[in-house]
Amino acid sequence: MNTGNLSAAQATLGDNLATDIGFDVAHAENVYQGIPLFSSLTESDLATVSRHAVTKTFSKNTIIINEGDTTDSLYVILCGRVKAFLSDEQGREVILDIEGPGDYFGEIALLDEPPRSASVMTLESSRFSIILKNGFKRCLANNPDIAIALIKALTHRIRMLTDNVKGLALRDVYGRVAKTLSNLAKREESGKQVIAEKLTQQELASMVGASREMVSRILKDLITGGYIKIEDKRITIERRLPAGW
């Protein structure tokens, strides 16, 4: 998205935002328990975190955070999906990550003051538990284990971004597609690797820094070769992807 359209994006955000006053706070606490960042907290501590949070719902294609914004909240995804991305003035974008229920973003803003480093947009109607910086700091003061978990989470993100940069610099388009598919896939009880997210070809292209047409040709060849299967935009890796294309 063009960051020059910040005012328009913020207006859209205001139009699409709704506070879920009647939302069951217990559900948010259950989600917190499954997040490594909060896994060391007691039920009492989780309740404290919840008291410092606001639950809100945003419609599909809403900009939650715009690159360059100066906001200071942590967003925990209760339901729905978002993409974190970078864009230029021509509207070209690179998707950094696609996240779903139990994932969170905005943690860097809890630790420093600079503007947001990336934009985040909903891919479908999504609900968030939003924890404000001051409330999080109080929780942090009473629970130093959260600081350790936060450092580990940031370290993981740095490693992931380093691997992405390495891929863009050293792998060809097929190599980047194959690596991305392998990273996104989770092994199910059946033994097959399945990508739970419903990815469009354009989203996958934006993740690997290539054209949609090139990604489409690669996916078609992988389907023909029996390496992957796509049903309802969900990709299943049927067997080990070839080293080259």
Side-chain angles (χ1 to χ4, degrees):
M1 176 175 179
N2 185 343
T3 54
N5 293 329
L6 176 59
S7 297
Q10 289 176 327
T12 300
L13 181 65
D15 292 339
N16 287 279
L17 183 151
T19 303
D20 297 325
I21 298 176
F23 184 74
D24 184 5
V25 175
H27 175 64
E29 292 180 17
N30 287 337
V31 174
Y32 293 158
Q33 288 177 327
I35 300 174
L37 183 62
F38 299 120
S39 61
S40 64
L41 299 186
T42 64
E43 289 186 7
S44 175
D45 291 332
L46 288 171
T48 300
V49 173
S50 297
R51 285 197 295 271
H52 292 299
V54 177
T55 302
K56 294 181 179 179
T57 298
F58 299 86
S59 59
K60 180 180 179 180
N61 294 332
T62 299
I63 298 292
I64 307 300
I65 293 174
N66 209 336
E67 184 180 354
D69 280 354
T70 53
T71 56
D72 59 356
S73 302
L74 171 70
Y75 293 76
V76 178
I77 305 172
L78 301 178
C79 67
R81 291 189 310 141
V82 304
K83 67 175 179 179
F85 65 98
L86 302 173
S87 60
D88 62 16
E89 294 180 354
Q90 285 71 46
R92 295 174 299 189
E93 70 175 44
V94 174
I95 296 178
L96 302 176
D97 201 6
I98 292 179
E99 301 182 324
D103 291 327
Y104 58 90
F105 56 90
E107 67 275 20
I108 294 177
L110 297 175
L111 302 176
D112 64 2
E113 303 300 330
R116 297 286 189 173
S117 57
S119 299
V120 178
M121 185 177 80
T122 56
L123 296 174
E124 57 191 61
S125 178
S126 304
R127 183 182 293 121
F128 303 88
S129 179
I130 305 172
I131 304 172
L132 301 179
K133 186 173 186 176
N134 289 338
F136 185 83
K137 278 188 172 181
R138 286 193 286 273
C139 293
L140 198 61
N142 296 325
N143 299 277
D145 285 347
I146 294 181
I148 296 174
L150 185 57
I151 291 171
K152 288 181 178 179
L154 291 173
T155 301
H156 172 74
R157 289 189 188 267
I158 291 171
R159 286 176 175 164
M160 182 182 70
L161 289 173
T162 300
D163 189 60
N164 288 345
V165 172
K166 177 182 177 181
L168 288 172
L170 302 179
R171 298 188 186 101
D172 59 13
V173 176
Y174 168 75
R176 299 200 295 272
V177 170
K179 179 68 173 177
T180 300
L181 293 179
S182 297
N183 287 345
L184 292 174
K186 304 296 182 184
R187 190 171 298 279
E188 296 190 336
E189 291 182 1
S190 63
K192 291 185 177 181
Q193 291 182 295
V194 179
I195 298 175
E197 295 87 354
K198 291 186 176 183
L199 289 176
T200 66
Q201 291 181 358
Q202 185 57 61
E203 287 170 346
L204 184 55
S206 295
M207 294 179 78
V208 302
S211 68
R212 187 194 64 78
E213 291 75 16
M214 175 62 78
V215 169
S216 177
R217 289 199 295 270
I218 292 172
L219 293 178
K220 185 179 295 185
D221 284 353
L222 289 175
I223 292 172
T224 302
Y227 294 99
I228 66 171
K229 178 175 64 177
I230 302 179
E231 293 180 346
D232 191 25
K233 295 182 181 178
R234 294 186 189 275
I235 300 175
T236 299
I237 300 177
E238 299 282 270
R239 56 195 180 102
R240 186 182 181 87
L241 300 179
W245 178 65

